[in-house]
Amino acid sequence: PRSTLFPYTTLFRSQQVAETIQDLVNPKGVGVICEARHFCMMMRGVEKQHSGAITSAMLGAFRDNKETRNELLSLVGQRSTTI
């Protein structure tokens, strides 16, 4: 079924966004974190009201340097708890 492709599609999109930023801006590193919700299931009242996925793609410094990657993930984690 199509819903089983949802996490894969989201992962693919995260990688696509990261690669596009890398190609256009040419930074030392790119970190993309995507959170997606499956609204068609949520709107229909399906039992999985919170069905979703969080995916990430790391390129350059964010992929190669553990300290840089951890700093980004820490900042994202702090932000998500305050929203």
Side-chain angles (χ1 to χ4, degrees):
R2 209 171 151 192
S3 63
T4 59
L5 296 176
F6 178 63
Y8 171 76
T9 304
T10 307
L11 180 62
F12 176 71
R13 293 288 181 233
S14 300
Q15 189 67 32
Q16 253 187 340
V17 169
E19 289 172 0
T20 299
I21 293 170
Q22 182 71 41
D23 291 345
L24 292 174
V25 182
N26 198 27
K28 291 183 180 180
V30 176
V32 174
I33 300 172
C34 294
E35 181 177 0
R37 300 265 184 239
H38 210 305
F39 282 114
C40 67
M41 290 179 73
M42 293 170 65
M43 292 179 69
R44 291 181 187 155
V46 177
E47 291 181 20
K48 294 182 179 182
Q49 283 293 311
H50 300 289
S51 62
I54 298 175
T55 61
S56 66
M58 306 285 176
L59 302 176
F62 290 108
R63 182 180 191 124
D64 302 336
N65 187 320
K66 186 177 179 178
E67 287 180 13
T68 304
R69 182 174 53 252
N70 287 342
E71 181 179 356
L72 171 67
L73 295 173
S74 172
L75 291 170
V76 171
Q78 289 173 12
R79 186 173 185 273
S80 67
T81 60
T82 60
I83 295 176

